[in-house]
Amino acid sequence: MGARDVELRGEDGAAVTARLDSPPGRPVASAVRVGCFACLGASPAPSRLAHALVARGFAVLSLDFTAPAASGVRPDTVPAVEAVVAAAAWLRERYPPARLLVGHSLGGTAAAAALPRLPEVAALALVNAPVGAAPVHERLPPAALEAGEGTLDFGPGRLRLTRRFLQAIDEAHLRRALSAFPGEVLALHAPEDRYVPLEHARRWVALARRPASLMLLEGADHFLSHDADAGYAADVLGAWAARQVTPVREREAPLPPGVVEVHEAGEGRFAQDIRVGAHRLRSDEPLSVGGEDTGPTPYGLLTAALGACTAMTLRLYAARKGWPLAHVHVRLSHQKVHAKACAECEAKDGRMDRLQRTVRLEGPLTDAQRAALVAIADRCPVHRTLASDVDVHTDVEQ
C-alpha cells in the first residue's frame, strides 16, 4: 500500500494535512475516512479501517483531527465539514470520485453533514457516531454550553469545538441530509459505548432514506482501543464497501488461476500487498524485527496454506467415505531445528525447517476412521509440495 501526505485547502483557505493510502495499480474506487476527533491514544482503528478498504482496491484519503497542541488541547482551526468536502474535491481531480465516506465518532457526524455537497458519494459508514451535537452538549461546562462552543474532555484527550462546527452537525441538518441521501448507510456501533449510546446508531438507521444496516461491535469501546475490535470493524467495513460501493464493471479483473502478484506496500520496511485471483492479502513482519505487524509473515502464510489444505483434504475424504466428521481443527507451528533432531531426514548437519501439525477431529468417528484421516493428512497437495523438490525459476521483467 502506497502512502503519502496531502495538503488540502477548504473554501475559506484553511489548510489541513490528510493521508492518502492507495492500492497497487489503478484504484477501483475512492473513499474519504474521517477519524475520531478525540482519539488521542494509540487506537489501531484508523490504520485498520484504511487497510481494509485499500486491500479491496480503494484509494483512501484520511482526515485525522487528533494531533494535540503543546497544551494538550487541539485548536479547531480547520472546519471539519469543509475538510471532508475539500478531501472529496481533491480525489475527484486525481482519482476515481469518492464513492464512500467513513467516519468514526464525531468524524462520522461531520461526514454525514457533508453529504448534501457531495453528490458522487454512494455510501456512508458510521462508527460509534452521534446523531447531532447532543452528546457533546451534555459534556460541555455550563459556561461553554451557554456560549455555544468550548473545550470538551473526551476519553484520552481534550478537544476544542467551535460554534461553527456544532451548528454544522445540528440534528435537523443531519436529518435533512440523510433523508435526501439516495445511497447506502452502515452503522457500526459498540453497545457498551460510554460516550455515544446505541440509540444513536438506531437513529441513523431510521433517518436513512433507504434500508440501512446496523452491526453491533460487541465488547468494543468508543475508541476501538483493542486490536481485535478494530480488526472486526474493519473486516465488516471492507466486505460491505466492496459489495455496496464498487460497481461490478469497475472491479479489478482477477488474476488467472495459479498467478500471484506481490507489491511492496510502501508502509514500513517489510509490508507487502498480495493479489491472489480476486483476493487481496497483506504480509509483514512483527514489530520485534522492524516490521509494522500489519499482516502475517511469509512463513505464517506458508504454514496457513498447509493448515487450510489439510482441513480441506480431510473434509473431502470424509465426505467421499460418508464418515460422520463434524469439524476439523488444525493447529500448526513453524520453527528451525537441528537436522539431527529429525529421524526421517537424510541430512544430519545444520538446521532445517519443521512444521508441527496437530489435527483435532470432531464427530462420532471410529478409531479406524480417525487413524485413516490422520494418515490422509500427509497426502494433502500442499504437504506433498513441501515434501518434494520444488523448482523456483526467476525471470527479470524488462
Coordinates of all heavy atoms in Angstrom, one line a residue, residues 245-334:
V245 N -20.3 -0.5 -2.8 CA -19.8 0.7 -3.3 C -19.2 0.5 -4.7 O -19.3 1.3 -5.6 CB -18.7 1.4 -2.4 CG1 -18.1 2.6 -3.0 CG2 -19.3 1.7 -1.0
T246 N -18.4 -0.6 -4.9 CA -17.7 -0.8 -6.1 C -18.5 -1.4 -7.2 O -18.9 -2.6 -7.0 CB -16.5 -1.7 -5.8 OG1 -15.7 -1.2 -4.7 CG2 -15.5 -1.7 -7.0
P247 N -18.9 -0.7 -8.2 CA -19.7 -1.3 -9.3 C -18.9 -2.5 -9.9 O -17.7 -2.5 -10.0 CB -19.8 -0.2 -10.3 CG -19.5 1.0 -9.6 CD -18.5 0.7 -8.5
V248 N -19.6 -3.6 -10.3 CA -19.0 -4.8 -10.8 C -18.1 -4.4 -12.0 O -17.0 -5.0 -12.1 CB -20.1 -5.8 -11.2 CG1 -19.5 -7.0 -11.9 CG2 -20.9 -6.2 -10.0
R249 N -18.5 -3.5 -12.8 CA -17.7 -3.2 -14.0 C -16.4 -2.5 -13.7 O -15.5 -2.5 -14.5 CB -18.5 -2.3 -15.0 CG -18.9 -1.0 -14.4 CD -19.6 -0.1 -15.4 NE -19.9 1.2 -14.9 CZ -21.0 1.5 -14.2 NH1 -21.8 0.5 -13.8 NH2 -21.2 2.7 -13.7
E250 N -16.3 -1.9 -12.5 CA -15.1 -1.2 -12.1 C -14.2 -2.1 -11.3 O -13.0 -1.7 -11.0 CB -15.4 0.0 -11.3 CG -16.2 1.1 -12.1 CD -16.4 2.3 -11.3 OE1 -16.0 2.4 -10.1 OE2 -17.1 3.2 -11.8
R251 N -14.6 -3.3 -10.9 CA -13.7 -4.1 -10.0 C -12.6 -4.6 -10.8 O -12.7 -5.0 -12.0 CB -14.5 -5.3 -9.4 CG -15.6 -4.8 -8.4 CD -16.5 -5.9 -7.9 NE -17.5 -5.3 -7.1 CZ -18.6 -6.0 -6.7 NH1 -18.7 -7.3 -7.0 NH2 -19.5 -5.4 -6.0
E252 N -11.4 -4.7 -10.2 CA -10.2 -5.1 -10.9 C -10.4 -6.5 -11.3 O -10.8 -7.4 -10.5 CB -9.0 -4.9 -9.9 CG -7.7 -5.1 -10.6 CD -6.6 -4.7 -9.6 OE1 -6.8 -4.6 -8.4 OE2 -5.5 -4.4 -10.1
A253 N -10.0 -6.8 -12.5 CA -10.1 -8.2 -13.0 C -9.2 -9.1 -12.2 O -8.1 -8.8 -11.9 CB -9.7 -8.2 -14.5
P254 N -9.8 -10.3 -11.8 CA -9.0 -11.2 -11.0 C -7.8 -11.8 -11.9 O -7.9 -11.8 -13.1 CB -10.0 -12.3 -10.7 CG -11.0 -12.2 -11.7 CD -11.1 -10.8 -12.1
L255 N -6.7 -12.2 -11.2 CA -5.6 -12.8 -11.9 C -6.0 -14.2 -12.4 O -6.8 -14.8 -11.8 CB -4.4 -12.8 -10.9 CG -3.8 -11.5 -10.5 CD1 -2.8 -11.7 -9.4 CD2 -3.2 -10.7 -11.6
P256 N -5.3 -14.6 -13.4 CA -5.5 -16.0 -13.9 C -5.2 -17.0 -12.8 O -4.4 -16.8 -11.9 CB -4.6 -16.2 -15.1 CG -4.2 -14.8 -15.5 CD -4.3 -13.9 -14.2
P257 N -5.8 -18.2 -12.8 CA -5.5 -19.3 -11.8 C -4.0 -19.6 -11.8 O -3.4 -19.7 -12.8 CB -6.3 -20.5 -12.4 CG -7.4 -19.9 -13.2 CD -6.9 -18.6 -13.8
G258 N -3.5 -19.7 -10.6 CA -2.1 -20.0 -10.4 C -1.2 -18.8 -10.4 O 0.0 -19.0 -10.2
V259 N -1.7 -17.6 -10.6 CA -0.9 -16.4 -10.7 C -1.1 -15.6 -9.4 O -2.2 -15.4 -9.0 CB -1.2 -15.5 -11.9 CG1 -0.4 -14.3 -11.9 CG2 -1.0 -16.3 -13.2
V260 N 0.0 -15.2 -8.8 CA 0.0 -14.3 -7.6 C 0.9 -13.1 -7.9 O 2.0 -13.2 -8.5 CB 0.6 -15.1 -6.4 CG1 0.7 -14.2 -5.2 CG2 -0.3 -16.3 -6.1
E261 N 0.4 -12.0 -7.5 CA 1.2 -10.7 -7.6 C 1.5 -10.2 -6.2 O 0.6 -10.1 -5.4 CB 0.5 -9.7 -8.4 CG 0.5 -9.9 -9.9 CD -0.1 -8.8 -10.7 OE1 -0.6 -7.8 -10.1 OE2 -0.1 -8.8 -11.9
V262 N 2.8 -9.7 -6.0 CA 3.2 -9.1 -4.8 C 3.8 -7.8 -5.0 O 4.7 -7.7 -5.9 CB 4.2 -10.1 -4.0 CG1 4.6 -9.4 -2.7 CG2 3.6 -11.4 -3.8
H263 N 3.4 -6.8 -4.3 CA 3.9 -5.4 -4.5 C 4.3 -4.9 -3.1 O 3.6 -5.1 -2.1 CB 2.9 -4.4 -5.1 CG 2.4 -4.8 -6.4 ND1 2.9 -4.4 -7.6 CD2 1.4 -5.6 -6.8 CE1 2.3 -4.9 -8.6 NE2 1.3 -5.7 -8.1
E264 N 5.4 -4.2 -3.0 CA 5.8 -3.5 -1.8 C 4.7 -2.5 -1.4 O 4.2 -1.8 -2.3 CB 7.1 -2.7 -1.9 CG 8.3 -3.7 -1.9 CD 9.6 -2.9 -1.8 OE1 9.8 -1.9 -2.6 OE2 10.4 -3.2 -0.9
A265 N 4.3 -2.5 -0.2 CA 3.1 -1.7 0.2 C 3.5 -0.3 0.4 O 2.7 0.6 0.5 CB 2.5 -2.3 1.5
G266 N 4.8 0.0 0.6 CA 5.2 1.4 0.9 C 5.0 1.8 2.3 O 5.0 3.0 2.6
E267 N 4.7 0.9 3.2 CA 4.4 1.2 4.6 C 5.4 0.4 5.4 O 5.3 -0.8 5.5 CB 3.0 0.9 4.9 CG 2.6 1.2 6.3 CD 1.1 0.8 6.6 OE1 0.4 0.5 5.6 OE2 0.7 0.9 7.7
G268 N 6.3 1.1 6.1 CA 7.3 0.3 6.9 C 8.3 -0.3 6.0 O 8.4 -0.1 4.7
R269 N 9.2 -1.2 6.6 CA 10.3 -1.8 5.8 C 9.9 -3.0 5.0 O 10.4 -3.3 4.0 CB 11.4 -2.1 6.8 CG 12.0 -1.0 7.5 CD 13.0 -1.4 8.6 NE 14.1 -2.2 8.0 CZ 14.9 -3.0 8.7 NH1 14.7 -3.0 10.0 NH2 15.8 -3.7 8.1
F270 N 8.9 -3.8 5.5 CA 8.6 -5.1 5.0 C 7.3 -5.3 4.4 O 7.1 -6.3 3.7 CB 8.9 -6.1 6.1 CG 10.2 -6.1 6.7 CD1 10.4 -5.8 8.0 CD2 11.4 -6.4 5.9 CE1 11.7 -5.8 8.6 CE2 12.6 -6.4 6.5 CZ 12.8 -6.1 7.8
A271 N 6.3 -4.5 4.7 CA 4.9 -4.8 4.3 C 4.7 -5.0 2.8 O 5.3 -4.3 2.0 CB 4.0 -3.7 4.8
Q272 N 4.0 -6.1 2.4 CA 3.7 -6.4 1.0 C 2.2 -6.6 0.8 O 1.5 -7.2 1.6 CB 4.4 -7.7 0.7 CG 5.9 -7.8 1.0 CD 6.7 -6.8 0.1 OE1 6.4 -6.7 -1.1 NE2 7.7 -6.2 0.7
D273 N 1.8 -6.1 -0.3 CA 0.4 -6.3 -0.7 C 0.4 -7.4 -1.8 O 1.2 -7.4 -2.7 CB -0.2 -5.0 -1.3 CG -0.6 -4.0 -0.3 OD1 -1.0 -4.4 0.8 OD2 -0.4 -2.8 -0.5
I274 N -0.6 -8.3 -1.6 CA -0.6 -9.6 -2.4 C -2.0 -9.7 -3.0 O -3.0 -9.5 -2.4 CB -0.4 -10.8 -1.4 CG1 0.9 -10.6 -0.7 CG2 -0.4 -12.1 -2.2 CD1 1.1 -11.6 0.5
R275 N -1.9 -10.0 -4.3 CA -3.2 -10.4 -5.1 C -3.1 -11.8 -5.4 O -2.1 -12.3 -6.0 CB -3.3 -9.5 -6.3 CG -3.6 -8.1 -6.1 CD -3.8 -7.4 -7.5 NE -4.9 -7.9 -8.2 CZ -5.0 -8.0 -9.5 NH1 -4.1 -7.5 -10.3 NH2 -6.1 -8.5 -10.1
V276 N -4.2 -12.5 -5.1 CA -4.4 -13.9 -5.5 C -5.8 -14.1 -6.1 O -6.8 -14.0 -5.4 CB -4.2 -14.9 -4.3 CG1 -4.3 -16.3 -4.7 CG2 -2.9 -14.6 -3.5
G277 N -5.8 -14.3 -7.4 CA -7.1 -14.3 -8.0 C -7.8 -13.0 -7.9 O -7.3 -11.9 -8.2
A278 N -9.0 -13.0 -7.2 CA -9.8 -11.8 -7.0 C -9.6 -11.3 -5.5 O -10.2 -10.4 -5.1 CB -11.3 -12.0 -7.2
H279 N -8.6 -11.9 -4.8 CA -8.5 -11.6 -3.4 C -7.2 -10.8 -3.1 O -6.2 -10.9 -3.9 CB -8.4 -13.0 -2.6 CG -9.5 -13.9 -2.9 ND1 -10.8 -13.6 -2.4 CD2 -9.6 -15.0 -3.6 CE1 -11.6 -14.6 -2.8 NE2 -10.9 -15.4 -3.6
R280 N -7.2 -10.1 -2.1 CA -6.1 -9.3 -1.7 C -5.7 -9.6 -0.2 O -6.5 -9.8 0.6 CB -6.4 -7.8 -1.7 CG -6.6 -7.3 -3.1 CD -7.1 -5.8 -3.1 NE -7.3 -5.3 -4.5 CZ -6.4 -4.7 -5.2 NH1 -5.2 -4.5 -4.7 NH2 -6.7 -4.3 -6.4
L281 N -4.4 -9.8 0.0 CA -3.8 -10.1 1.3 C -2.7 -9.2 1.6 O -2.2 -8.4 0.8 CB -3.3 -11.6 1.3 CG -4.2 -12.7 0.8 CD1 -3.5 -14.0 0.7 CD2 -5.4 -12.8 1.7
R282 N -2.3 -9.2 2.9 CA -1.1 -8.4 3.3 C -0.2 -9.3 4.1 O -0.6 -10.1 4.9 CB -1.6 -7.2 4.2 CG -0.6 -6.5 5.0 CD 0.4 -5.8 4.2 NE -0.2 -4.6 3.5 CZ -0.2 -3.4 4.0 NH1 0.3 -3.2 5.2 NH2 -0.7 -2.4 3.3
S283 N 1.1 -9.1 3.8 CA 2.2 -9.8 4.6 C 3.1 -8.8 5.2 O 3.4 -7.7 4.5 CB 2.9 -10.8 3.7 OG 3.9 -11.5 4.4
D284 N 3.6 -9.1 6.3 CA 4.5 -8.1 7.0 C 5.4 -8.9 8.0 O 5.3 -10.1 8.1 CB 3.7 -7.0 7.7 CG 4.5 -5.8 8.0 OD1 5.7 -5.8 7.9 OD2 3.8 -4.7 8.3
E285 N 6.2 -8.2 8.7 CA 7.0 -8.8 9.8 C 6.6 -8.2 11.1 O 6.0 -7.1 11.2 CB 8.5 -8.6 9.5 CG 9.0 -9.3 8.4 CD 9.2 -10.8 8.6 OE1 9.0 -11.3 9.7 OE2 9.4 -11.6 7.6
P286 N 6.8 -8.9 12.2 CA 6.4 -8.3 13.5 C 7.2 -7.1 13.9 O 8.3 -6.9 13.4 CB 6.6 -9.5 14.5 CG 7.6 -10.4 13.8 CD 7.3 -10.2 12.3
L287 N 6.7 -6.4 14.9 CA 7.4 -5.2 15.4 C 8.8 -5.5 15.9 O 9.7 -4.7 15.8 CB 6.6 -4.5 16.5 CG 5.2 -4.0 16.1 CD1 4.4 -3.6 17.4 CD2 5.3 -2.9 15.1
S288 N 9.0 -6.7 16.5 CA 10.2 -7.1 17.1 C 11.4 -7.2 16.1 O 12.6 -7.1 16.5 CB 10.1 -8.5 17.8 OG 9.7 -9.5 16.8
V289 N 11.1 -7.3 14.8 CA 12.2 -7.3 13.8 C 12.1 -6.1 12.9 O 12.8 -6.2 11.8 CB 12.2 -8.7 13.0 CG1 12.4 -9.8 13.9 CG2 10.9 -8.8 12.3
G290 N 11.4 -5.1 13.2 CA 11.4 -3.9 12.5 C 10.2 -3.7 11.5 O 10.2 -2.8 10.7
G291 N 9.2 -4.7 11.5 CA 8.0 -4.6 10.7 C 7.0 -3.8 11.4 O 7.2 -3.2 12.5
E292 N 5.8 -3.7 10.8 CA 4.7 -2.9 11.3 C 3.6 -3.9 11.8 O 2.5 -3.5 12.3 CB 4.1 -2.0 10.3 CG 5.1 -0.9 9.8 CD 5.4 0.1 10.9 OE1 4.6 0.3 11.8 OE2 6.6 0.6 10.9
D293 N 3.7 -5.2 11.6 CA 2.8 -6.2 12.0 C 1.4 -6.0 11.4 O 0.4 -6.1 12.1 CB 2.7 -6.3 13.6 CG 2.1 -7.6 14.1 OD1 2.2 -8.6 13.3 OD2 1.5 -7.6 15.2
T294 N 1.3 -5.6 10.2 CA 0.0 -5.3 9.5 C -0.5 -6.6 8.8 O -1.6 -6.5 8.2 CB 0.1 -4.2 8.5 OG1 1.1 -4.5 7.5 CG2 0.6 -2.9 9.2
G295 N 0.2 -7.7 8.9 CA -0.3 -8.9 8.3 C 0.6 -10.1 8.7 O 1.6 -9.8 9.4
P296 N 0.2 -11.3 8.4 CA 1.1 -12.4 8.8 C 2.4 -12.4 8.0 O 2.5 -11.8 7.0 CB 0.2 -13.6 8.4 CG -0.7 -13.1 7.3 CD -1.0 -11.7 7.7
T297 N 3.4 -13.1 8.6 CA 4.7 -13.2 8.0 C 4.6 -14.1 6.8 O 3.7 -14.9 6.7 CB 5.7 -13.7 9.0 OG1 5.4 -15.1 9.3 CG2 5.7 -12.9 10.3
P298 N 5.6 -14.1 5.9 CA 5.6 -15.1 4.8 C 5.5 -16.5 5.3 O 4.8 -17.3 4.7 CB 6.9 -14.7 4.1 CG 7.1 -13.3 4.3 CD 6.7 -13.1 5.7
Y299 N 6.3 -16.8 6.4 CA 6.2 -18.2 6.9 C 4.8 -18.4 7.5 O 4.3 -19.6 7.5 CB 7.3 -18.4 8.0 CG 8.6 -18.8 7.4 CD1 9.7 -18.0 7.4 CD2 8.7 -20.1 6.7 CE1 10.9 -18.4 6.8 CE2 9.9 -20.5 6.2 CZ 11.0 -19.7 6.2 OH 12.2 -20.1 5.7
G300 N 4.2 -17.4 8.1 CA 2.8 -17.6 8.6 C 1.9 -17.9 7.5 O 1.0 -18.8 7.6
L301 N 2.0 -17.3 6.3 CA 1.2 -17.6 5.2 C 1.4 -19.0 4.7 O 0.5 -19.7 4.3 CB 1.4 -16.6 4.0 CG 0.9 -15.1 4.3 CD1 1.4 -14.2 3.2 CD2 -0.6 -15.1 4.5
L302 N 2.7 -19.4 4.6 CA 3.1 -20.7 4.2 C 2.5 -21.8 5.1 O 1.9 -22.8 4.7 CB 4.6 -20.9 4.1 CG 5.1 -22.2 3.7 CD1 4.8 -22.5 2.3 CD2 6.7 -22.3 4.0
T303 N 2.6 -21.6 6.4 CA 2.1 -22.5 7.4 C 0.5 -22.5 7.3 O -0.1 -23.6 7.4 CB 2.5 -22.1 8.8 OG1 3.9 -22.0 8.8 CG2 2.1 -23.2 9.8
A304 N -0.1 -21.4 7.1 CA -1.5 -21.3 7.0 C -2.0 -22.1 5.7 O -3.0 -22.8 5.8 CB -2.0 -19.9 6.9
A305 N -1.2 -22.1 4.7 CA -1.6 -22.8 3.5 C -1.6 -24.3 3.7 O -2.5 -25.0 3.3 CB -0.6 -22.5 2.3
L306 N -0.6 -24.8 4.5 CA -0.6 -26.2 4.8 C -1.8 -26.6 5.7 O -2.5 -27.6 5.5 CB 0.7 -26.6 5.6 CG 0.8 -28.0 6.1 CD1 0.7 -29.0 5.0 CD2 2.0 -28.2 6.9
G307 N -2.2 -25.7 6.7 CA -3.3 -26.0 7.6 C -4.6 -26.0 6.8 O -5.5 -26.9 7.0
A308 N -4.8 -25.0 5.9 CA -6.0 -24.9 5.1 C -6.1 -26.2 4.2 O -7.2 -26.8 4.1 CB -6.1 -23.7 4.3
C309 N -5.0 -26.5 3.5 CA -5.1 -27.7 2.6 C -5.3 -29.0 3.4 O -6.1 -29.8 2.9 CB -3.7 -27.8 1.9 SG -3.7 -29.1 0.6
T310 N -4.8 -29.1 4.6 CA -5.0 -30.3 5.4 C -6.5 -30.4 5.8 O -7.1 -31.5 5.6 CB -4.2 -30.2 6.7 OG1 -2.8 -30.1 6.4 CG2 -4.5 -31.4 7.6
A311 N -7.1 -29.3 6.2 CA -8.5 -29.4 6.6 C -9.4 -29.7 5.4 O -10.4 -30.5 5.5 CB -8.9 -28.1 7.2
M312 N -9.1 -29.1 4.3 CA -9.9 -29.3 3.0 C -9.8 -30.8 2.6 O -10.8 -31.4 2.3 CB -9.4 -28.4 1.9 CG -9.7 -27.0 2.1 SD -9.0 -26.0 0.7 CE -9.2 -24.3 1.3
T313 N -8.6 -31.3 2.7 CA -8.4 -32.7 2.2 C -9.1 -33.7 3.2 O -9.7 -34.6 2.7 CB -6.9 -33.0 2.3 OG1 -6.2 -32.2 1.4 CG2 -6.6 -34.5 1.8
L314 N -9.0 -33.5 4.5 CA -9.8 -34.3 5.4 C -11.3 -34.2 5.2 O -12.0 -35.3 5.3 CB -9.4 -34.0 6.8 CG -7.9 -34.1 7.2 CD1 -7.7 -33.8 8.7 CD2 -7.4 -35.6 6.9
R315 N -11.8 -33.0 4.9 CA -13.2 -32.9 4.7 C -13.6 -33.6 3.4 O -14.7 -34.3 3.4 CB -13.5 -31.4 4.6 CG -14.9 -31.0 4.1 CD -16.0 -31.6 5.0 NE -15.8 -31.2 6.4 CZ -16.4 -31.8 7.5 NH1 -17.1 -32.9 7.3 NH2 -16.2 -31.3 8.7
L316 N -12.9 -33.5 2.4 CA -13.2 -34.2 1.1 C -13.2 -35.7 1.3 O -14.1 -36.4 0.8 CB -12.3 -33.7 0.0 CG -12.5 -32.3 -0.5 CD1 -11.4 -31.9 -1.5 CD2 -13.9 -32.2 -1.2
Y317 N -12.2 -36.2 2.0 CA -12.0 -37.6 2.1 C -13.1 -38.2 3.0 O -13.7 -39.2 2.7 CB -10.7 -37.9 2.8 CG -10.3 -39.4 2.8 CD1 -9.8 -40.0 1.7 CD2 -10.5 -40.1 4.0 CE1 -9.5 -41.4 1.7 CE2 -10.1 -41.5 4.0 CZ -9.6 -42.1 2.8 OH -9.3 -43.4 2.9
A318 N -13.5 -37.5 4.1 CA -14.6 -38.0 4.9 C -15.9 -38.0 4.2 O -16.7 -38.9 4.4 CB -14.6 -37.1 6.2
A319 N -16.1 -36.9 3.4 CA -17.4 -36.8 2.7 C -17.5 -38.0 1.6 O -18.5 -38.6 1.4 CB -17.5 -35.5 2.0
R320 N -16.3 -38.3 1.0 CA -16.3 -39.4 0.0 C -16.6 -40.7 0.6 O -17.3 -41.6 0.0 CB -15.0 -39.4 -0.7 CG -14.9 -40.3 -1.9 CD -13.6 -40.3 -2.6 NE -13.2 -39.0 -3.0 CZ -12.1 -38.3 -2.6 NH1 -11.3 -38.9 -1.7 NH2 -11.8 -37.1 -3.0
K321 N -16.1 -40.9 1.9 CA -16.3 -42.1 2.6 C -17.7 -42.2 3.3 O -18.1 -43.3 3.8 CB -15.2 -42.4 3.6 CG -13.8 -42.6 3.0 CD -13.8 -44.0 2.4 CE -12.4 -44.3 1.9 NZ -12.3 -45.7 1.3
G322 N -18.3 -41.0 3.4 CA -19.6 -41.0 4.2 C -19.4 -41.1 5.7 O -20.3 -41.5 6.4
W323 N -18.2 -40.6 6.2 CA -17.9 -40.7 7.6 C -18.5 -39.5 8.3 O -18.5 -38.4 7.7 CB -16.4 -40.8 7.8 CG -15.9 -42.1 7.3 CD1 -16.5 -43.2 7.0 CD2 -14.5 -42.4 7.1 NE1 -15.7 -44.2 6.6 CE2 -14.4 -43.7 6.7 CE3 -13.3 -41.7 7.3 CZ2 -13.2 -44.4 6.4 CZ3 -12.1 -42.3 7.1 CH2 -12.0 -43.6 6.6
P324 N -18.9 -39.6 9.6 CA -19.5 -38.5 10.3 C -18.5 -37.5 10.9 O -18.4 -37.4 12.2 CB -20.3 -39.2 11.4 CG -19.5 -40.5 11.7 CD -18.9 -40.9 10.4
L325 N -17.7 -36.9 10.1 CA -16.8 -35.9 10.5 C -17.5 -34.6 10.7 O -18.0 -34.0 9.7 CB -15.6 -35.7 9.5 CG -14.6 -34.7 9.8 CD1 -13.9 -34.9 11.1 CD2 -13.6 -34.6 8.7
A326 N -17.6 -34.1 11.9 CA -18.4 -32.9 12.2 C -17.6 -31.6 12.0 O -18.0 -30.6 11.5 CB -18.9 -32.9 13.6
H327 N -16.3 -31.6 12.4 CA -15.5 -30.4 12.4 C -14.0 -30.8 12.4 O -13.6 -31.7 13.1 CB -15.8 -29.5 13.5 CG -15.0 -28.2 13.5 ND1 -15.4 -27.2 12.7 CD2 -13.9 -27.7 14.2 CE1 -14.6 -26.1 12.8 NE2 -13.7 -26.5 13.7
V328 N -13.2 -30.0 11.6 CA -11.7 -30.2 11.6 C -11.1 -29.0 12.1 O -11.4 -27.9 11.7 CB -11.2 -30.5 10.1 CG1 -9.7 -30.7 10.2 CG2 -12.0 -31.7 9.5
H329 N -10.1 -29.2 13.0 CA -9.3 -28.1 13.6 C -7.9 -28.4 13.4 O -7.4 -29.5 13.9 CB -9.7 -27.8 15.1 CG -8.9 -26.8 15.7 ND1 -9.3 -25.5 15.7 CD2 -7.7 -26.8 16.3 CE1 -8.4 -24.7 16.4 NE2 -7.4 -25.5 16.7
V330 N -7.1 -27.6 12.8 CA -5.7 -27.8 12.6 C -4.9 -26.7 13.2 O -5.1 -25.5 13.0 CB -5.4 -27.9 11.1 CG1 -3.9 -28.3 10.9 CG2 -6.3 -28.9 10.3
R331 N -3.9 -27.1 14.0 CA -3.1 -26.1 14.7 C -1.6 -26.4 14.2 O -1.2 -27.5 14.3 CB -3.2 -26.2 16.2 CG -2.4 -25.1 17.0 CD -2.5 -25.3 18.5 NE -1.8 -24.3 19.2 CZ -2.3 -23.1 19.6 NH1 -3.5 -22.8 19.2 NH2 -1.5 -22.2 20.2
L332 N -0.9 -25.3 13.8 CA 0.4 -25.5 13.2 C 1.4 -24.5 13.9 O 1.0 -23.5 14.3 CB 0.4 -25.4 11.7 CG -0.5 -26.2 10.9 CD1 -1.8 -25.4 10.5 CD2 0.1 -26.8 9.7
S333 N 2.7 -24.9 13.8 CA 3.7 -24.0 14.2 C 4.9 -24.3 13.3 O 5.1 -25.4 12.8 CB 4.1 -24.2 15.7 OG 4.6 -25.5 15.9
H334 N 5.8 -23.3 13.1 CA 7.0 -23.4 12.3 C 8.2 -23.0 13.2 O 8.1 -22.0 13.9 CB 6.9 -22.5 11.1 CG 8.2 -22.3 10.4 ND1 9.0 -21.2 10.6 CD2 8.8 -23.1 9.5 CE1 10.1 -21.4 9.8 NE2 10.0 -22.5 9.2

